[in-house]
Structures are given as C-alpha cells and as structure tokens.
Amino acid sequence: MRLSPYSPNPSTHHEMFLSSYSIFSPSLRSPVAVFKCIRSSFNTTLPFSSARACAAMAPLSTVSTDKEADQELKYKEQAVSPQPQVAKRLEKFKTTIFTQMSNLAIKHGAINLGQGFPNFDGPDFVKEAAIQAIIAGNNQYARGYGVPVLNAAIAERFKKDSGIEVDPEKEVTITSGCTEAIAATILGLINPGDEVILFAPFYDSYEATLSMAGAKVKSITLCPPDFAVPLDLLKSAVTKETRAILINTPHNPTGKMFTKNELEFIANLCIENDVLVFTDEVYDKLAFEAEHISIASIPGMHERTVTMNSLGKTFSLTGWKIGWAIAPSHLTWGLRQAHAFLTFATSTPMQWAASVALRAPESYYEELRRDYNAKKAILVDGLKEVGFIVYPSSGTYFVMVDHTPFGFPDDISFCEHLIKEVGVVAIPTSVFYLNPEEGKNLVRFTFCKDEGTLKAAVERMKEKLKRK
C-alpha cells in the first residue's frame, strides 16, 4: 500500500478511515461499497482526504442495495475465510474421543467415567520431591535422554520386575509421557510401507502415529468375553513385510492381560520372522488377577523389543507426562533420533521426582492394587445391577461392557444419551477399531475415581437408564 506524504501513520491509517465513516455519502453506507472505495484509494498516491472525497462523490448507480451488499459481503467472507487444513495422512483422525467426551461432560454437568485420569491426587512424597527439585535449581533443560538418576531408577525397577538388566545410559530413554515414547519408537524405527500389526481395540494414538510414519496397519481383533488372541489369525497375518507387532498389556480398553502362552506365541512368531515388538506397559502395576509379564523377559526377545511405560497411571500424576522407553542400544539409537526432534527433553524437576517415586517400597504398589480393587468392585457390581453385560477386567482401571440391553443402535448414540439424559460419561469404543462396526456394541468405563464419584454415577444410571 502506497501513502502520500500527507497520509497518517500506516498503523493508524485504517482506523482513521473507518472513523470517518459517518461523513460518507448515504449511498456508501454499504460495507461493500466502502471496501471498494478503500481499495481504490489505497492503490493510488492520493492523500487520505481524497479517499473521503472518493466516498462522497461515488455515483449512486454503482452502489448495491443494502440487501445485495450484505449478500456480497457474506460471499466475500466465505471466500477468504481460511478452511481447516490437515495433511492427508491425518485426515481421518478427528478431535480425540477423549477430548470430545470430556467437553460434553463439562457442558452437561456429567460425571466423567470416560477419560482415564484420576480425580484424586498423587502421593505427597512424590510431589514433595518435585518441590525440592525446583527449589534446588533443577529447572533447566535436562539431558536429552534423561536425568541420570531417573534412568538409573528405571533400570533398577525393570530388573526387579522382569529380571532383565539394562544399561541406564544406553538402553533407557526418558520421554514426555508414554504417548511420546510410542511416537519416538514408531517414527524412529518404522519406514514408509512397513507393516505393523495391532490388536483391536487399541489406544487411538497407535494408528495415528503409524499413519504419520507411513506404515501399513494390520489389525487383529480381540473379541469378548475374554478378548483372547486368535493365534492362528495372528500367524497368518505375519508376512515378509511385517516390521513390528504392537501390544499393550494390561490392555486398554478391555482390561485384558496377555497370557504367558499368548506372549510366547508372539515371541516365537517374531523370532522366526525377524519382527520387532513394541510393548506398551503403562498399566503394569494395575494387574489384579494375574502377574504382569513383560515380553522382553521371554528368551530371545530383549534384543527385538521396545518396552514403553510411564509414571502417570501408577502414581496418579498423569499431568506430569513422564514416560520412558527401554530397548537394546541398536533400537534405542533410532527412537532417540526421533525423540531429539519431537521434544528433545522432558521436565527436569519432574524427572527428579519420578526417580524418587520409582524407588517406592513394594507396600506402595500393594496398597495401590487394594485401593483400585475396591473401586473396581463398586463400578462392576453397579454396572451389573444397572443391566449392562460386563466383561472381565484383569488389569488397568477400565471395564468394557455391552450396552445393547438398552436398545441403542451403536455406541456413539448410547454414549450421547448417557451424557445428556443420564449425566454419566463413558467412551464409545468403535473409535478403537479399524472397522468401527466391530466396536459398536461396546463402551468403556473407568474406575480411577474416588468412591463417592463412582457411587454417584451408578445411582444416576440406576435412576435414569432403562432397559428396552
């Protein structure tokens, strides 16, 4: 835009023009006509007063009626209004179901048994460790792959749990939550066109991140009531193009724990076909009815396994986003390369506090399981009384149910009714399948809430949710 020497400061030029709107000829009260005159005057070297004169002298015959002008302005706004843009590889992924359901919960005042975050705080000794780390000045960038004291604590914990000794410097990488560990692992080790096998239903970030990596995703469906792995189907799915199998045990959203037989079968398949395993074990300390087994502990598997975990679920500190990946050095190299360009480093004082948390005595974990078992009993018994078909949950803090006794055609419509008319939030599970039809009869509830909240949710459902 060129202005004459008599023009005002460019930063206020448009404001002065608009402030003079009241002196325009009545024929220029149309915003579109004003816009045309402004554009014309800005493309000349006329002084600003000439722009006013232009407006005053505009012939009536060139001005639209108010109705036409409004319509024209509407079309112009539509034409210039930026449309949401997203890369093709992410087009199918909308706002996460967790965000959608949590927003609806707030809007309708519903009790949120959908998203898996506790409504109670983590232990004081861990929070105090974070405070002390901040006071001590541990507030600048951490080393990219982790504060040494946390890497060491993770290695110690892993040896105690799995019997595997790992090098904290070469085989442990700290990430911003397990979701970043998943992303760094996939982006660092999977090439475009590689096949990766998932077990549906699956945590939604798996498919999205694999899509970003350009992977070909295959899905093996786990079916109720026990969500057992269909071993023959899995065997037939592994091909020479298969690069990795991604497992999650204990399993979100079903609560299933992979059995020793299933893990050994997967291990043999991977060894025979030179396939990697990425294993998400964030719920390892929430195993209620069986011992958690890390597939890396099966002979021949450590060298081909990336084990991912986090602090948030075990210590009710999901907002801290402290996660990690454990892998042999030749696999750690790739995931660290990706991590370096995703987040580079993770919150320093929270890492120091996490190192304290991971050295908690076994009594902490025993009390954690007792507490969650009591919460689980309240929810499971309540859901059965309400009329749901409730499937067994051996681990995690989730329960899967069949909602069909209530007469809704799918999980989305049921969950919308549950929020708006009953005041309780559950998660529709169809979003966790490559084929949404496979999950349309199922919804997920969480019991990581205080007992009062769980009881209140059950009472609402008993009162307002009717079987058909």
Side-chain angles (χ1 to χ4, degrees), residues 264-460:
E264 288 178 342
F265 186 90
I266 293 169
N268 289 333
L269 269 181
C270 291
I271 293 168
E272 290 170 8
N273 295 279
D274 193 22
V275 172
L276 302 177
V277 168
F278 305 151
T279 175
D280 175 353
E281 301 183 3
V282 296
Y283 299 100
D284 62 334
K285 296 302 181 184
L286 296 176
F288 304 114
E289 296 167 13
E291 287 295 318
H292 168 73
I293 301 171
S294 286
I295 194 169
S297 67
I298 294 174
M301 286 305 294
H302 170 62
E303 56 264 36
R304 64 179 63 252
T305 300
V306 180
T307 304
M308 300 167 286
N309 211 321
S310 76
L311 187 80
K313 305 299 189 294
T314 303
F315 290 91
S316 303
L317 296 165
T318 59
W320 286 20
K321 296 296 290 179
I322 300 294
W324 56 86
I326 301 171
S329 58
H330 66 281
L331 298 181
T332 291
W333 173 252
L335 74 89
R336 282 187 181 177
Q337 290 295 94
H339 166 66
F341 298 105
L342 285 171
T343 61
F344 172 69
T346 297
S347 172
T348 303
M350 301 313 180
Q351 288 194 55
W352 281 89
S355 72
V356 173
L358 291 177
R359 292 189 169 99
E362 288 304 309
S363 59
Y364 172 82
Y365 301 105
E366 292 167 4
E367 184 178 350
L368 180 76
R369 283 189 288 269
R370 281 197 301 269
D371 185 46
Y372 269 119
N373 255 324
K375 297 177 190 297
K376 176 184 170 185
I378 292 170
L379 182 61
V380 168
D381 292 347
L383 292 172
K384 289 178 179 178
E385 291 173 16
V386 171
F388 289 100
I389 301 168
V390 182
Y391 296 116
S393 174
S394 300
T396 76
Y397 41 52
F398 301 116
V399 176
M400 287 273 276
V401 303
D402 187 323
H403 67 80
T404 55
F406 301 98
F408 289 85
D410 56 56
D411 56 331
I412 302 290
S413 59
F414 172 77
C415 285
E416 287 178 348
H417 172 83
L418 191 66
I419 292 172
K420 295 174 183 178
E421 304 301 329
V422 180
V424 176
V425 180
I427 294 293
T429 64
S430 57
V431 298
F432 303 143
Y433 294 80
L434 291 185
N435 176 10
E437 283 291 305
E438 294 179 338
K440 71 177 186 178
N441 293 338
L442 304 172
V443 297
R444 187 195 80 178
F445 289 95
T446 183
F447 51 89
C448 60
K449 312 295 177 182
D450 62 74
E451 294 187 6
T453 298
L454 295 171
K455 290 175 181 177
V458 169
E459 288 307 311
R460 285 189 184 187

Side-chain angles (χ1 to χ4, degrees), residues 107-165:
K107 180 178 179 180
H108 295 279
I111 298 173
N112 194 346
L113 301 189
Q115 193 169 0
F117 60 85
N119 68 341
F120 46 85
D121 219 353
D124 289 341
F125 76 93
V126 184
K127 292 184 291 183
E128 182 61 32
I131 293 168
Q132 292 306 317
I134 292 169
I135 293 172
N138 296 302
N139 300 303
Q140 306 308 321
Y141 288 131
R143 185 178 64 171
Y145 58 91
V147 170
V149 68
L150 178 56
N151 291 62
I154 290 167
E156 291 168 17
R157 183 81 248 175
F158 194 59
K159 182 178 181 181
K160 186 177 292 186
D161 292 340
S162 69
I164 302 171
E165 187 164 347

Side-chain angles (χ1 to χ4, degrees), residues 56-70:
M57 294 185 294
L60 286 171
S61 60
T62 63
V63 181
S64 303
T65 66
D66 285 346
K67 183 176 181 181
E68 291 171 337
D70 290 344

